[in-house]
Amino acid sequence: DIEMTQSPSSLSASVGDRVTITCRASQGVGTYLAWFQQKPGKAPKPLIYGASGLQSGVPSKFSGSGSGTDFTLTISSLQPEDFAIYYCQQYIDYPLTFGPGTKVDI
Amino acid sequence: QVQLQESGPGLVKPSETLSLTCSVSGFSISSGYYWGWIRQPPGKGLEWIATIHRDGTPYYNPSLQSRVTISLDSSKNQFSLHVRSVTAADTAVYYCARRFPIEYGGRSHYHFDYWGQGSLVTVSS
């Protein structure tokens, strides 16, 4: 199985901050990497596919980069609605695996 | 607009079978590529359970494979999940999702693009 790790596990930030979350895969996944945002009581919302492709309807303040084993999700200017948990997920191979999540709060 | 909706009992007794159905609207299951189930225990992260291709080929998480069955009913535009011999560890919010390809960077990316709202299933006597 491909193990996904994320850092940090949680972070505190302020409105307007630039935030970067890191995701690492235990083996290369090319660019078959997605990012999701999850708010309490809600389903995960897709943000990024292909490591850097922006899901339709997602604001451009979200951006992704990386390939192989190391990836980042950046939020350029944090807004109140961005406080959530963020997960990465590899989909190059079964079993599909998610990172443990990064909680972004105030 | 593609919509997915999970349905099933919210409470299941230990050792029994958990059964969930995902009803899809706004899109034909037989046109989609893959359909899947993901679960999330209370306060924990996401775990992929199973995926089924539109041709009926299933893919299972090895950690659950011996107890799980995923199936497709194109006539009802639904797909289902059955988890046998459940324990308290199977208590979770269960999500159904569509895994659909998008062309990007010269490759097809089969990512989970639409999700249901989730269905909480509690295993308890």
Side-chain angles (χ1 to χ4, degrees), chain A residues 35-97:
Chain A
W35 288 96
F36 298 88
Q37 175 195 65
Q38 188 178 34
K39 296 181 180 179
K42 299 294 187 182
K45 173 186 175 182
L47 298 176
I48 300 284
Y49 58 86
S52 59
L54 198 64
Q55 184 73 23
S56 176
V58 173
S60 58
K61 62 182 173 181
F62 292 96
S63 62
S65 65
S67 67
T69 60
D70 295 304
F71 303 88
T72 60
L73 173 71
T74 299
I75 310 171
S76 60
S77 178
L78 206 63
Q79 296 303 305
E81 63 270 19
D82 302 328
F83 292 95
I85 299 176
Y86 293 85
Y87 295 94
C88 61
Q89 182 233 332
Q90 66 80 18
Y91 52 89
I92 193 173
D93 197 12
Y94 289 110
L96 308 179
T97 48

Side-chain angles (χ1 to χ4, degrees), chain A residues 1 31-34 36 38 41-44 46 49-50 52-53 55 87 89 91-92 94-100, chain B residues 34 38 40 44-48 51 59-62 95 99 102 104 107-117:
Chain A
D1 298 7
T31 57
Y32 295 98
L33 190 285
F36 298 88
Q38 188 178 34
K42 299 294 187 182
Y49 58 86
S52 59
Q55 184 73 23
Y87 295 94
Q89 182 233 332
Y91 52 89
I92 193 173
Y94 289 110
L96 308 179
T97 48
F98 292 85
Chain B
Y34 296 93
I38 302 99
Q40 185 171 39
K44 296 188 178 181
L46 300 162
E47 178 183 35
W48 171 72
T51 291
Y59 302 84
Y60 296 112
N61 191 323
Y95 296 101
R99 194 179 173 208
I102 188 165
Y104 182 71
R107 291 177 171 81
S108 295
H109 290 271
Y110 288 80
H111 68 305
F112 287 119
D113 64 347
Y114 284 95
W115 294 61
Q117 64 184 26

Side-chain angles (χ1 to χ4, degrees), chain B residues 20-37:
Chain B
L20 291 167
T21 296
C22 182
S23 299
V24 180
S25 59
F27 193 86
S28 171
I29 273 193
S30 57
S31 299
Y33 282 77
Y34 296 93
W35 305 89
W37 290 94

Side-chain angles (χ1 to χ4, degrees), chain B residues 3-112:
Chain B
Q3 291 186 316
L4 292 83
Q5 178 69 58
E6 305 88 352
S7 60
L11 182 64
V12 181
K13 289 183 169 57
S15 80
E16 295 190 343
T17 296
L18 178 164
S19 296
L20 291 167
T21 296
C22 182
S23 299
V24 180
S25 59
F27 193 86
S28 171
I29 273 193
S30 57
S31 299
Y33 282 77
Y34 296 93
W35 305 89
W37 290 94
I38 302 99
R39 71 180 183 180
Q40 185 171 39
K44 296 188 178 181
L46 300 162
E47 178 183 35
W48 171 72
I49 304 169
T51 291
I52 188 164
H53 189 262
R54 59 182 176 180
D55 68 2
T57 302
Y59 302 84
Y60 296 112
N61 191 323
S63 68
L64 296 164
Q65 185 166 4
S66 63
R67 300 192 294 126
V68 170
T69 301
I70 188 171
S71 59
L72 213 57
D73 188 340
S74 298
S75 67
K76 295 181 179 179
N77 219 38
Q78 295 175 339
F79 60 104
S80 299
L81 177 74
H82 301 280
V83 183
R84 297 175 291 279
S85 305
V86 297
T87 70
D90 294 307
T91 293
V93 175
Y94 286 76
Y95 296 101
C96 59
R98 185 182 81 164
R99 194 179 173 208
F100 199 75
I102 188 165
E103 299 302 312
Y104 182 71
R107 291 177 171 81
S108 295
H109 290 271
Y110 288 80
H111 68 305
F112 287 119

